[in-house]
Amino acid sequence: TSVIDHFNYDKSDDGKHTLIIAKGITNNEAILTKNVIEGPPVLFRGIAHKIGTVPLLTKILWAGETAYSYETKADQQVDQEPLVVGSKVMLVSALQARKNARVTFVGSIELFSDRFFDSPIQRTNSAESFTKSGNEDFAKDLTKWTFQEKGVLKVTSRNHHKENETEELEVYRIKDNIVYTIEISEYVNDHWQAFNGTDVQFEAIMLDPYIRKTLTPLPISPEQQARKYKAHIQLPDVYGVFTFKVNYKRSGYSYIEDSSVVAIRPFRHNEYPRYISAAYPYYTGAASMIVGFLLFSVIWFFNKENSKRAKKKMS
């Protein structure tokens, strides 16, 4: 089979309309640089594939709405429906496994050829033209990502402690205010540098997440190879064994799953406040009972003395 597009093909096509100009490209800068995404289009001649809804899959390059995948045989009519039609015609896609292994599916060997690298592009029935295709830069970025030379993340350090302290504890108390920090590096262009993501989240989990909070990226100096992310968190009013976790899974980046187990205990008997505001009605009731008892005792004693005097007068 071949990918055919009668509307988006290059002028140097041999008449079969299989030298197509890819219409869709991912805007994921973890896989492709901005220059490739916004640069010249990519030439493609080859077979298509179709991907499902598996979240581990990533679409990278696909055909336009007028493209289709069809079996082509010389001087022979093929009576069948197109295998894939429109933007579902996938040209390049990738899969990153749960353990961060990567595999890329490309339906064209010519996409990586010197001829396609240096070929100019002139779209048929259009004045749009380019002196050189985007295949070379696209192939460089694609192979770098596939062989884990970019888009790789790692955790360099992680720490949690009470506010105004520095010691990392294994046991905290409910409603404690803690500080959680984590440092993340990204591998780019053969060296480690500070990661620039803004959507890293912290979770405190006991079966279900009790807290989920976005960490704040802190400023860095140019020589730093990791960025620190920080959050001020008040622990929940629930005691038990919790997992402090950063589970960062974004398309194009290697997955991060960093966790630490801590215990959260209740208040000890001597850590409760002396007077609880919610118990004021009970305090008032006890005080009123004491005052009432004292008044009753005073009145009773005085009434008893008066009755003795009355008896003496009668005698």
Side-chain angles (χ1 to χ4, degrees):
T1 60
S2 297
V3 180
I4 303 171
D5 193 332
H6 301 297
F7 296 89
N8 294 293
Y9 61 92
D10 190 74
K11 274 194 171 181
S12 61
D13 180 78
D14 58 4
K16 296 180 180 179
H17 300 172
T18 56
L19 181 57
I20 69 168
I21 300 172
K23 291 286 289 183
I25 190 169
T26 181
N27 61 354
N28 191 331
E29 294 189 21
I31 301 175
L32 303 177
T33 59
K34 191 174 182 180
N35 292 334
V36 174
I37 296 172
E38 299 178 354
V42 176
L43 285 176
F44 183 92
R45 179 190 282 132
I47 63 174
H49 60 277
K50 184 178 180 180
I51 67 173
T53 57
V54 179
L56 302 176
L57 293 170
T58 302
K59 299 191 298 183
I60 297 179
L61 192 72
W62 56 93
E65 294 294 336
T66 55
Y68 61 96
S69 177
Y70 201 72
E71 186 173 350
T72 55
K73 294 183 179 180
D75 302 326
Q76 184 176 351
Q77 183 70 26
V78 180
D79 186 17
Q80 67 175 33
E81 294 292 329
L83 302 176
V84 193
V85 178
S87 58
K88 292 182 179 179
V89 177
M90 204 56 51
L91 311 179
V92 179
S93 63
L95 180 143
Q96 182 167 256
R98 291 179 175 86
K99 295 296 184 180
N100 290 326
R102 293 173 177 175
V103 57
T104 302
F105 301 92
V106 184
S108 171
I109 296 177
E110 290 183 276
L111 185 146
F112 299 98
S113 65
D114 291 339
R115 176 172 172 268
F116 275 32
F117 282 2
D118 301 326
S119 175
I121 293 180
Q122 174 65 58
R123 193 185 302 273
T124 305
N125 301 324
S126 173
E128 184 182 31
S129 63
F130 300 89
T131 57
K132 184 181 178 181
S133 72
N135 287 52
E136 184 174 1
D137 294 334
F138 175 83
K140 286 180 179 179
D141 280 351
L142 187 65
T143 52
K144 279 184 178 181
W145 183 87
T146 304
F147 296 114
Q148 301 205 10
E149 296 175 7
K150 64 182 298 187
V152 178
L153 304 180
K154 73 172 180 179
V155 176
T156 58
S157 70
R158 174 250 304 147
N159 183 261
H160 50 80
H161 56 81
K162 288 185 180 180
E163 287 193 353
N164 303 320
E165 296 182 10
T166 57
E167 182 183 1
E168 182 174 321
L169 303 177
E170 294 181 357
V171 180
Y172 293 97
R173 192 191 65 190
I174 60 174
K175 296 186 177 180
D176 269 348
N177 292 310
I178 69 167
V179 178
Y180 183 91
T181 59
I182 188 170
E183 294 187 2
I184 302 177
S185 296
E186 179 184 3
Y187 191 70
V188 179
N189 296 327
D190 299 329
H191 71 277
W192 291 100
Q193 67 180 31
F195 179 53
N196 292 321
T198 58
D199 56 351
V200 182
Q201 291 183 325
F202 164 86
E203 292 178 317
I205 301 172
M206 186 175 68
L207 297 181
D208 294 317
Y210 279 76
I211 296 174
R212 182 180 286 121
K213 188 170 185 179
T214 301
L215 299 172
T216 302
L218 302 182
I220 59 170
S221 58
E223 66 273 7
Q224 284 183 283
Q225 296 182 347
R227 183 182 296 275
K228 181 178 287 189
Y229 293 81
K230 185 177 183 179
H232 295 267
I233 300 157
Q234 185 181 53
L235 297 178
D237 191 7
V238 178
Y239 58 87
V241 178
F242 279 76
T243 300
F244 290 170
K245 178 180 285 189
V246 170
N247 188 12
Y248 190 76
K249 294 182 178 178
R250 300 294 184 271
S251 177
Y253 290 107
S254 59
Y255 305 141
I256 290 178
E257 190 168 347
D258 181 85
S259 61
S260 57
V261 178
V262 300
I264 299 180
R265 62 171 177 82
F267 285 99
R268 295 192 180 99
H269 70 281
N270 60 350
E271 291 180 327
Y272 286 97
R274 181 65 65 181
Y275 295 101
I276 303 174
S277 59
Y280 281 154
Y282 302 97
Y283 301 150
T284 305
S288 64
M289 284 293 294
I290 294 171
V291 173
F293 176 76
L294 293 175
L295 289 174
F296 173 79
S297 300
V298 170
I299 294 171
W300 186 80
F301 281 123
F302 278 103
N303 284 343
K304 188 175 182 180
E305 189 67 25
N306 291 336
S307 62
K308 287 182 179 179
R309 290 176 182 176
K311 286 180 180 180
K312 288 181 179 180
K313 289 180 179 180
M314 289 177 65
S315 61

